Structure formats: C-alpha cells, structure tokens
Amino acid sequence: MKRIIRGATLELVQGDITLQEVDAIVNAANSRLAGGGGVDGAIHRRGGPSIMEETRQKYPDGCPTGSAVISGAGQLKAKYVIHAVGPVWRGGQQQEAELLASAYRRSLQLAVEHQCRSVAFPALSTGAYGYPMDQAARIALQTVYAFLAEHGRPELVRFVLFDDRAYRQFAEAMEELIPEHAPNQG
C-alpha cells in the first residue's frame, strides 16, 4: 500500500526491516543505545558489532526519549542506522503521543540531513514498550505525512511491519488518514 505526497512515496510493507535496501534503517532503540530485543536486537545481530561500537563512541550519554541519533550500518545493506527512542506506554497521559511523533520527526530530519533518499521505519514503541499499535500507527502516519507534505523528502519512506496485525493496523490508519487522492499529493 502506498501514497504519493509532494512527489515522495509513503509505503507500507510486511517483512524484515534488516533486509531493506534503503539508505537508512530506523532502529527502535532504548535511551542507553545499549541494544535489546525485537527490532533493536535484529539490527545489531545482522549489522554486526561496529554499530554498537560507533554509538558508544559517538553518543556515550545515549539518546533522550523522543529523539534520534545516527550511525553507520555495519554489515546491513543500508548506509545508516537511525536510532530512534520512542516512549514507553504509560496509559497515554505522560506525553507519549508527543514523544513518539518527535522520534519520527527527528529520524526524518536526520535522514534529510544525511542526504538519504530512502528510509525504512519499524512501528516504534509498539513492541516491548507496549504502545497500542492502532494509536502508534496513527501518530506515525500523521507525523510522516506532515513531514513529507512540508519537505517532499526523503523520496521514499517505508514502514516495514513485522506481522499481519501490525500491517493491518497501519493500513487501516493510512486509509482513514491519507486517502488515495488526498490534497497535497501528486
């Protein structure tokens, strides 16, 4: 499923984010940039130890929730890994929506600053951090849509969703939020 926004493509696919042939892969990182499970673990396993070595060296204090930092991609096909720190879900009353949107925005800013033409995102904060998938999908898509409508770049933003349920939730949100012939497209 895809939409064109100011000449840029926003698309949803189901699959393994570590296999994406894009300029940058976004990692669902923790604030210590210490590696972990889920997407984070998969990226570090496939990319190799150089990613962790670089983040330890460049970002010894980690990365605050709602922000992102960038590193090389080690043995991944991508050029960069953007380590985005989404919020832990605490019921929705602790600025989780703002922090999640901020993590997506900062990731897109880093991609543009590093001349990335394509970027692949996971569903940030929806794994171990417990963010409800339907709400996370809406925030992710609204944030990316607004960024593309303003900047028209990166040329491709792909959400790589791990399973059927995540893909369905994102597809439903996209249908609702970004109709096929929405203004600002084309």
Side-chain angles (χ1 to χ4, degrees):
M1 172 178 261
K2 65 176 65 172
R3 298 289 189 266
I4 306 299
I5 302 146
R6 278 198 57 196
T9 300
L10 169 59
E11 73 178 3
L12 308 179
V13 301
Q14 187 177 335
D16 180 343
I17 197 166
T18 67
L19 300 177
Q20 298 300 304
E21 294 188 31
V22 291
D23 291 336
I25 290 175
V26 177
N27 179 20
N30 57 56
S31 61
R32 296 178 323 284
L33 304 176
V39 170
D40 195 16
I43 285 172
H44 284 287
R45 277 192 301 280
R46 185 147 299 166
S50 67
I51 298 171
M52 183 77 72
E53 290 165 12
E54 183 179 344
T55 58
R56 278 195 190 122
Q57 189 174 41
K58 282 169 95 172
Y59 312 107
D61 297 327
C63 177
T65 300
S67 193
V69 296
I70 194 166
S71 73
Q75 297 164 9
L76 296 168
K77 293 176 182 174
K79 294 178 193 162
Y80 301 104
V81 174
I82 297 170
H83 306 270
V85 183
V88 173
W89 178 255
R90 292 191 168 88
Q93 305 304 312
Q94 306 291 315
Q95 294 187 309
E96 292 98 318
E98 293 86 352
L99 290 166
L100 186 58
S102 178
Y104 279 106
R105 253 190 319 278
R106 183 64 187 134
S107 296
L108 290 164
Q109 289 165 348
L110 284 169
V112 169
E113 288 167 16
H114 288 80
Q115 287 83 47
C116 295
R117 296 173 63 191
S118 55
V119 60
F121 280 98
L124 295 174
S125 287
T126 60
Y129 283 10
Y131 212 110
M133 186 68 71
D134 60 334
Q135 293 179 48
R138 294 178 66 80
I139 292 163
L141 291 166
Q142 286 170 332
T143 304
V144 171
Y145 178 80
F147 190 91
L148 292 176
E150 182 178 345
H151 301 281
R153 324 183 272 161
E155 292 171 25
L156 170 66
V157 177
R158 177 182 297 150
F159 281 94
V160 182
L161 304 155
F162 185 70
D163 59 23
D164 285 336
R165 185 180 75 83
Y167 183 88
R168 274 195 319 275
Q169 297 267 333
F170 268 74
E172 288 169 13
M174 185 181 274
E175 287 286 342
E176 183 183 330
L177 298 168
I178 313 169
E180 269 190 81
H181 302 291
N184 249 342
Q185 292 191 21

